[in-house]
Structures are given as C-alpha cells and as structure tokens.
C-alpha cells in the first residue's frame, strides 16, 4: 500500500488510534498459538460507527482488503490477514460502550468491542443473565462472538450466540449502515438479514453493535463431577438428567480420562475430585430460578438415579461455590493442559446426539489403526452433540512427525462425521483453516448460494478475503 493511501486511512481514526509501525502492528498479526501469521498495512481502531463507515467506504473505492478483528481469540485464523501486507485490520477494541440495558424488555445493547465478561458483569449488576459463556470470555468480544456464532457451555440450555441476538447494527462494505438494533422477539418482515451476518466471520460487513437477549439470573447453581463407564452411559445419564431437570440442566460436559490426567499433571493447584481413576467423566450443572437448595436437590436426585441404574460409577458434588468453580476449572483447562503433552490434532465436530457413542467408537478404532499409541482426548459439549475431538501424540514421538499425520487422521474423522450426518465445524467456524473442507463437504447448491450472497453484499470482495469461501 502506498503511503498516501495509508495516510488517508489513518486520518479517519487519527494517528493515536492507528498502528502502522511493525512493533505496534505485530500483536494483531498472530493468533495466540502462533498457528497463523500475516502482514498488514495498518491497524485502525475506530471509536464510532461513523468512522467504521468511512473506513469501509474508502476501502471499497480503493479495493483495499479489510480484516475485522475483535479479541483475536478465534481458533480458525479468520481474524489474521494474509501475507501480502496490503490489508487493513479494523480492530473493534474502542467500540466498547454499553449503550443501554432495558430490564423491562430484557435486552442489552452493546458495541461490538465489549468484552464478553464485561457483558456478564453489567447484566449481573442488573440481576440478569447473559448466558453465552466460553473459556476465552475474558478477552473475546461480542462482535467476534456473533461473527463466529460462538457456542460454549451455555448452549445446551440457552442456545448459541445467534439465539442471543435480537438485533444488529452493521456497516456494509460500501460504507452504508444497516441499523437493525431491534428489541423485538417477533418480526416477520421478509428475509432475516441479521442472521446472515451472524457466523459470517467478517466476510459480509462489520458488526458495530448488537442488541442481546437477557434472562433471569439463577438463584442457585449446583455442579457435580460424575464418573461413567462409557460415552453410551454418559448419554443415557444425559437423557435422565434432561427428563428430570428440563432447561434447569444448564451444562453437560464430557471428558475423557486422558484429558483429565493431563490437567492434573500440568495445571497447578488442580486435584482429582475422586479417589481413583475412571475412563470417562461428565460435568453436570443445574441452575435454579428458586434457590441453591432447589438446585442441589435436583442434582442429588439425578446423581441418585444415575447410581441406581448403574450409569454413575462414582462422583463428587460441589459443596461450596469454590468447589463448583474448581470443577469448572478442570473442564476449562482441558485445551491448555494438552499443550505440554506435545502435538495435538484437533477437530471441532458435531453429530446428532444419538449418534455420538457410535461416532466415538468408530473414530477411536480408525485412529488407533493409523497410530496405535495415539492418546485420545475427546471432550466437550455432549448435550449438544459437539466434541472437541483432540488426538495427542504418542509419548516419545517427534511432535512434527505426529502432526504430519493430520492429512491421514483428519479425513478419517471428517468421513465419520459426514457418515453420521454431522458438521466439520460445530462452533469455531471456517476461517482460513477449514476453507478446503467446506468446499469439499458443503452441497454445491449451498455453496453456490453462499457465493452469490457474498457477491451481492461485497461485490469488490474487500471483506476478509480468503476466509470461509
Ligand atoms: P476474533 O478472533 O477477533 O475474530 C473471529 C472472527 O470474527 C474473524 O473472522 C473476524 O474477522 C471476525 N470478526 C470479529 N469481530 C467482528 C465484527 N465486529 N464484525 C465482523 N466480523 C468480526 N468458541 C466457541 O464457540 N465455544 C467455545 O467454547 C470456545 N472456547 C474457546 C476457548 C479458548 C481458550 C479460546 C482461545 C477460544 C475459544 N473459542 C470458543 C473460539 C471463539 O471463536 C472465540 O473465542 C470468539 O467467539 C471469537 O471472538 P473474538 O472477539 O476473539 O474474535
Ligand atoms: Zn467448545
């Protein structure tokens, strides 16, 4: 990019809110694991929707690639530019105002750069719940959450990011602003434009603000860490728990022993809640609108039924809030604790819940046929049929030698996912990581429609080129 054009971009936000030197731009060019890196002509931090509009209008006229970036926690490289050095990164960090909390309508309107945890704090202060919850919530931003249609642990009872969104304000590639900040639950006035931007990963426009749905804040939360013998038993227990608790069952997470062992080994201060090891565990949480006692009573009755039917082998029920949080730490450390164990081949997949045990049995068999000593660490949102199907390298192997087997292991996993009617990206999106797989697995009719939507919204293809499609 020539200096004159760069200066025109910088002038829109002011030099104080732009980064152009290598050192200042660098943190935006790399995701936290260093898996994707890129280059950029500048990073702009607009402070208002009108500034975003001017940036996109200039980019559209000059054919400049725009890469939206929120908290930079995305796991598929969508927020990282390519290596050309011509793209402008638009960081939403300064769009960080909470515009309104309406407790009568149970709605909050926030700008795209508000960090997810800050939304939790703000809504709790008004005795409301915003249920989207993920391990990255201290740094990811709501614009990124909506653009990736994030899932997380609350999806079981409350749904994914899309389900939390009532309305959006979006800047389109030509600089016009789509003002759709509606609080309406019901609005059937033609095509749902809002839903197109959710999960679009920044390829159709820049989300600058959102109106989100709020819920009553639970009065009590109870959690248990239960040992089960197999994914089948975990699923059978899930059905019983769901039947007893309904939507009060707000989390149901599965963990393989291997992952729990990694966490106990590497994360300081973690303790095994149970006296001996078991092959599988579930973390089950009940939220009650009435009281903590009510939540605990429901949880006790689920655990009891589980024991009676031979589904639960052993278990620990959190006796205090500190213990409940400690159980969650075990689950949330699952990704990080795999890092010191060497290379990990990761898959974020979903299949119909009923197909999960069969998928897991077949995947295990097929992977062990390729690498007999591979260490399987599947974990995740069993209640949603969504697993982080991670495979760690055998002890003593060379990391790269193992990662080189991705080309053999991943197609096998995706093949089984397809055979069971599942998805190759349950919650992290496509980004640059799964573009080829999307092209290979989505139906030609769907792909063609997606390309035509992209061309209609962004005819000059300036929005996040090289991502998704
Ligand atoms: P970024 O990473 O900055 O961007 C993500 C994508 O959205 C990019 O394509 C970017 O271009 C686009 N984008 C960002 N902001 C905008 C905007 N305002 N307008 C248009 N496009 C935009 N995900 C889950 O779904 N469930 C989980 O449980 C989960 N757990 C995680 C745990 C950890 C430890 C980490 C690191 C990540 C996890 N994620 C999870 C990944 C998840 O996708 C991101 O954490 C989050 O949703 C992305 O938000 P962000 O602000 O960091 O977006
Ligand atoms: Zn997840």
């Amino acid at each position: 990019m020539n200096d004159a054009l760069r200066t025109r971009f910088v002038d829109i936000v002011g030099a104080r809110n732009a980064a152009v030197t290598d050192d200042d731009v660098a943190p935006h060019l790399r995701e936290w694991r260093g898996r994707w890196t890129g280059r950029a002509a500048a990073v702009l931090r607009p402070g208002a929707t009108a500034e975003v509009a001017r940036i996109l209008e200039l980019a559209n006229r000059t054919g400049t690639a725009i890469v939206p970036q929120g908290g930079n926690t995305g796991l598929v490289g969508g927020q990282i530019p390519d290596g050309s050095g011509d793209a402008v990164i638009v960081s939403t960090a300064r769009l960080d105002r909470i515009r309104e909390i309406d407790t009568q309508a149970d709605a909050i309107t926030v700008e795209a750069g508000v960090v997810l945890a800050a939304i939790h704090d703000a809504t709790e202060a008004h005795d409301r719940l915003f249920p989207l919850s993920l391990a990255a919530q201290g740094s990811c931003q709501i614009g990124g959450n909506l653009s990736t249609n994030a899932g997380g642990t609350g999806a079981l009872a409350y749904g994914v990011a899309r389900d939390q969104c009532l309305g959006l304000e979006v800047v389109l590639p030509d600089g016009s602003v789509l003002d759709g900040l509606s609080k309406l639950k019901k609005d059937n006035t033609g095509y749902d434009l809002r839903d197109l931007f959710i999960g679009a990963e920044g390829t159709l426009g820049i989300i600058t603000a959102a109106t989100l749905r709020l819920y009553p804040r639970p009065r009590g939360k109870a959690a248990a860490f239960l040992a089960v013998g197999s994914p089948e038993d975990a699923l059978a227990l899930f059905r019983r728990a769901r039947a007893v608790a309904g939507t009060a069952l707000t989390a149901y997470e599965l963990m393989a022993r291997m992952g729990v062992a990694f966490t106990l080994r590497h994360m300081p201060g973690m303790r095994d809640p149970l006296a001996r090891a078991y092959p599988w565990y579930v973390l089950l949480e009940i939220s009650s609108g009435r009281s903590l006692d009510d939540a605990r009573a429901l949880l006790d009755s689920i655990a009891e039924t589980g024991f009676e039917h031979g589904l639960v082998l052993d278990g620990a029920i959190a006796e205090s809030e500190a213990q409940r949080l400690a159980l969650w730490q075990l689950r949330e450390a699952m990704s990080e604790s795999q890092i010191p164990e060497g290379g990990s081949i990761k898959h974020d997949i979903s299949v119909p819940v009923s197909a999960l045990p069969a998928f897991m049995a077949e995947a295990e068999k097929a992977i062990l046929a390729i690498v007999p000593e591979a260490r399987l660490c599947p974990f995740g949102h069993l209640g949603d049929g969504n697993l982080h199907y991670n495979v760690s390298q055998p002890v003593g192997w060379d990391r790269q030698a193992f990662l080189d087997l991705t080309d053999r292991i991943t197609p096998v996993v995706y093949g089984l996912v397809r055979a069971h009617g599942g998805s190759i990206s349950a919650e992290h999106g496509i980004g640059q990581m799964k573009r080829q797989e999307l092209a290979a697995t989505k139906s030609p009719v769907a792909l063609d429609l997606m390309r035509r939507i992209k061309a209609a919204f962004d005819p000059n293809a300036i929005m996040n080129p090289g991502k998704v499609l």
Side-chain angles (χ1 to χ4, degrees):
M1 179 182 288
N2 65 51
D3 286 343
L5 180 56
R6 195 195 323 256
T7 303
R8 283 163 74 195
F9 275 113
V10 169
D11 283 348
I12 295 172
V13 293
R16 258 187 322 139
N17 301 312
V20 289
T21 64
D22 287 353
D23 279 357
D24 292 345
V25 173
H28 298 269
L29 300 180
R30 182 178 184 282
E31 53 101 81
W32 61 297
R33 300 161 303 180
R35 210 163 154 175
W36 287 279
T37 51
R39 292 171 59 225
V43 179
L44 306 179
R45 298 186 195 89
T49 303
E51 289 180 5
V52 178
R54 289 177 59 202
I55 294 167
L56 293 202
E57 192 268 329
L58 178 59
N60 204 35
R61 261 192 296 123
T62 54
T64 306
I66 294 288
V67 179
Q69 193 175 91
N72 192 8
T73 69
L75 297 172
V76 291
Q79 72 279 21
I80 303 297
D82 66 17
S84 68
D86 291 329
V88 167
I89 294 176
V90 176
S91 160
T92 47
R94 287 180 63 236
L95 297 171
D96 62 352
R97 281 172 289 263
I98 293 177
R99 291 191 188 163
E100 188 197 7
I101 298 185
D102 181 344
T103 52
Q104 296 301 308
D106 273 334
I108 184 171
T109 299
V110 294
E111 294 183 348
V114 179
V115 170
L116 179 55
I119 301 182
H120 294 157
D121 293 344
T123 52
E124 260 168 46
H126 285 78
D127 204 25
R128 294 292 185 280
L129 170 76
F130 182 63
L132 191 67
S133 172
L134 26 140
Q137 64 198 25
S139 32
C140 62
Q141 301 172 5
I142 193 66
N145 299 145
L146 290 165
S147 297
T148 57
N149 189 22
T153 50
L156 177 65
Y158 299 99
V160 294
R162 184 188 305 283
D163 300 300
Q164 317 313 332
C165 185
L166 293 165
L168 284 184
E169 178 188 272
V170 185
V171 177
L172 303 179
D174 66 0
S176 54
V177 179
L178 180 68
D179 178 2
L181 288 175
S182 154
K183 292 178 191 170
L184 301 176
K185 181 176 179 184
K186 296 189 162 185
D187 175 17
N188 289 345
T189 50
Y191 304 145
D192 195 327
L193 299 173
R194 174 197 64 201
D195 270 0
L196 281 172
F197 296 98
I198 300 174
E201 301 180 50
T203 59
L204 298 180
I206 296 190
I207 295 173
T208 47
T211 300
L212 308 165
R213 200 188 288 273
L214 300 179
Y215 297 81
R217 199 161 68 86
R219 297 289 162 228
K221 282 188 183 183
F225 182 80
L226 304 175
V228 295
S230 65
E232 283 87 346
D233 286 356
L235 185 59
L237 181 66
F238 171 67
R239 293 207 195 300
R240 288 183 181 277
R242 182 90 146 177
V244 171
T247 54
L249 178 66
T250 44
Y252 197 88
E253 299 282 312
L254 180 75
M255 289 166 270
R257 172 67 199 180
M258 189 70 79
V260 172
F262 288 175
T263 298
L264 296 172
R265 192 177 303 157
H266 299 295
M267 308 308 282
M270 298 272 185
R271 286 185 42 230
D272 193 335
L274 305 178
R276 50 154 290 206
Y278 295 91
W280 297 93
Y281 304 94
V282 297
L283 175 59
L284 186 158
E285 183 164 88
I286 299 290
S287 301
S288 166
R290 271 178 283 184
S291 65
L292 182 58
D293 285 349
D294 185 48
R296 292 219 170 123
L298 259 178
L299 188 63
D300 285 345
S301 79
I302 292 168
E304 250 166 55
T305 330
F307 276 116
E308 264 167 35
H309 289 83
L311 299 173
V312 175
L313 307 173
D314 196 354
I317 292 185
E319 300 284 346
S320 64
E321 184 62 5
Q323 282 184 9
R324 187 181 73 84
L325 295 175
L327 294 184
W328 271 109
Q329 273 174 358
L330 259 183
R331 161 63 184 83
E332 285 184 341
M334 206 64 37
S335 287
E336 208 182 325
S337 67
Q338 289 169 15
I339 297 171
E341 293 290 335
S344 170
I345 300 175
K346 299 178 190 294
H347 312 90
D348 162 38
I349 59 96
S350 66
V351 295
V353 178
S354 53
L356 211 60
F359 163 80
M360 290 177 78
E362 291 160 24
E364 175 169 340
K365 197 167 154 217
I367 291 169
L368 296 184
I370 300 171
V371 188
E373 299 92 31
R375 294 176 295 166
L376 304 177
C377 301
F379 69 95
H381 322 293
L382 181 136
D384 297 323
N386 171 199
L387 287 183
H388 301 302
Y389 201 92
N390 295 357
V391 187
S392 277
Q393 69 175 62
V395 177
W397 270 44
D398 174 63
R399 177 187 156 86
Q400 196 52 47
F402 177 69
L403 292 178
D404 287 346
L405 291 173
T406 304
D407 292 347
R408 289 182 60 201
I409 290 178
T410 296
V412 164
V413 173
Y414 288 166
L416 290 170
V417 164
R418 258 201 310 284
H420 286 287
S423 167
I424 59 158
S425 183
E427 56 175 12
H428 298 160
I430 300 298
Q432 40 185 313
M433 182 187 184
K434 296 185 180 172
R435 223 156 56 106
Q436 312 293 343
E437 280 96 349
L438 183 80
T441 55
K442 202 97 177 163
S443 85
V445 176
L447 273 175
D448 178 52
L449 257 181
M450 283 170 71
R451 291 196 185 103
R452 284 194 280 151
I453 289 168
K454 168 75 177 170
F457 278 67
D458 182 21
N460 298 330
I462 61 162
M463 289 307 307
N464 219 357
K467 315 295 164 55
V468 184
L469 288 170

